[in-house]
Amino acid sequence: MANSVGLPDAQSAVAAWLQATRALQDTPKPVYNLVYSVSDPTKKLSMDNDIIASFNKFALDHEFHTTDTVANTIFPLDTYRAYGADRTEFYEAYHRTVLPKVRKTWGTYFERLTIRRNDNGTPMLKGNALLNPLEILILKLKRRIEDPPKTTTHYEISPGDIALEVATYNPLHDCNYQIGGPCLSHVSFKIDRNDVLRLTAFYRSHWYIERALGNLIGLARLQWFVANAAGAKVGPLTIIAAEAVLDISSKHRSASDTKAMLKECWATGGMAI
């Protein structure tokens, strides 16, 4: 069993998912430390919409979430489209109208990116406003871009600094979960000398049928949002999955059905079956 599995860079989020699922099928289990990058997270290949449509039909037929539902837990695109001209209004609309409808035991990733909570669950405040790590990150990136000279080592900030490193794992609350808790533990933003914003996402465990495609789409949207707000260019998106799982079967779907869906998606993507 290899200690890590590295994959070539993929051109789009969908292409990365195809490559990862194919590699997971062909790699002895368990798979630890799966690492790969999307060279252009904003790119959509001609095949991507067809693959997403096939996947979403399969998800609805087998009673699990579509790519948009999963992606919205990381970045709520519909709310952004309605309120994104004003970031403050966007955050407030999400917290006020969306979060109460979708929040379950541990919340959503976008909640954790935009609200920090005290040990008793109450939101932390900065002055009279919610402490919003994502907005702090955006403002710090914007200052770096607008105030040269720029360095690369300057952005190597410890995980305790909420400015460019944002933890989504809450050790006080999440330590009791065996399963069902947040799998995305940490997101790290780095900007290079050419104002290219790179995003690295660390998953403690990553499920490649019911979650990963939507996760990749959501992370790509989040990266675009941060880059656009800070005045940066979108760079590569890198995924590190400490454990990668090809969840072939579940209560609502058989292994044979899932394999048939994957083969259809691989064929659409031009992969040999």
Side-chain angles (χ1 to χ4, degrees):
M1 180 180 66
N3 181 58
S4 62
V5 177
L7 303 177
D9 289 1
Q11 290 184 284
S12 71
V14 174
W17 177 77
L18 289 179
Q19 180 178 244
T21 53
R22 190 61 183 268
L24 289 173
Q25 178 190 252
D26 298 336
T27 304
K29 312 302 183 283
V31 178
Y32 297 119
N33 301 316
L34 178 67
V35 182
Y36 56 92
S37 294
V38 182
S39 56
D40 185 356
T42 65
K43 188 173 186 176
K44 266 200 171 182
L45 303 176
S46 58
M47 66 182 186
D48 287 359
N49 285 335
D50 290 340
I51 291 168
I52 290 171
S54 295
F55 179 90
N56 285 340
K57 182 180 184 306
F58 181 80
L60 291 171
D61 288 346
H62 294 83
E63 301 182 40
F64 67 96
H65 294 313
T66 64
T67 53
D68 272 344
T69 299
V70 174
N72 281 336
T73 67
I74 297 174
F75 187 78
L77 184 61
D78 290 342
T79 309
Y80 174 77
R81 285 171 172 163
Y83 299 97
D86 183 320
R87 290 200 306 276
T88 298
E89 189 175 0
F90 167 47
Y91 299 135
E92 289 178 351
Y94 180 81
H95 298 154
R96 182 180 66 252
T97 63
V98 178
L99 187 56
K101 298 176 184 177
V102 300
R103 194 180 201 279
K104 296 185 179 179
T105 304
W106 61 266
T108 69
Y109 292 119
F110 194 71
E111 174 195 3
R112 291 187 174 209
L113 291 169
T114 56
I115 300 176
R116 276 288 180 264
R117 296 188 182 275
N118 298 303
D119 292 351
N120 63 2
T122 59
M124 293 183 185
L125 299 178
K126 185 177 182 182
N128 295 321
L130 292 174
L131 193 154
N132 183 333
L134 187 63
E135 183 62 18
I136 293 171
L137 182 149
I138 288 169
L139 294 176
K140 187 169 185 179
L141 283 169
K142 189 174 177 65
R143 288 197 299 272
R144 295 292 183 269
I145 291 169
E146 294 175 349
D147 186 22
K150 307 177 182 69
T151 66
T152 54
T153 55
H154 189 82
Y155 308 107
E156 299 300 323
I157 299 175
S158 71
D161 188 325
I162 62 171
L164 293 181
E165 307 280 339
V166 184
T168 59
Y169 183 83
N170 181 335
L172 182 70
H173 185 271
D174 299 336
C175 64
N176 295 320
Y177 286 115
Q178 296 293 330
I179 59 173
C183 290
L184 175 62
S185 298
H186 192 82
V187 289
S188 174
F189 291 85
K190 295 289 182 287
I191 191 161
D192 67 21
R193 296 176 187 274
N194 297 313
D195 296 340
V196 173
L197 184 69
R198 298 167 178 266
L199 173 58
T200 302
F202 182 86
Y203 281 86
R204 63 177 181 84
S205 182
H206 208 191
W207 294 65
Y208 274 78
I209 301 301
E210 296 201 5
R211 290 290 183 269
L213 182 53
N215 290 156
L216 286 166
I217 292 169
L219 287 167
R221 291 171 179 173
L222 174 68
Q223 186 177 1
W224 174 86
F225 168 73
V226 172
N228 185 63
K233 297 180 280 289
V234 177
L237 164 63
T238 298
I239 304 296
I240 303 172
E243 179 187 38
V245 180
L246 191 63
D247 43 320
I248 287 292
S249 62
S250 74
K251 178 181 178 181
H252 298 291
R253 54 186 170 82
S254 66
S256 60
D257 286 346
T258 303
K259 289 177 181 179
M261 179 274 293
L262 285 173
K263 287 181 180 180
E264 179 184 347
C265 290
W266 294 337
T268 303
M271 291 183 170
I273 303 302

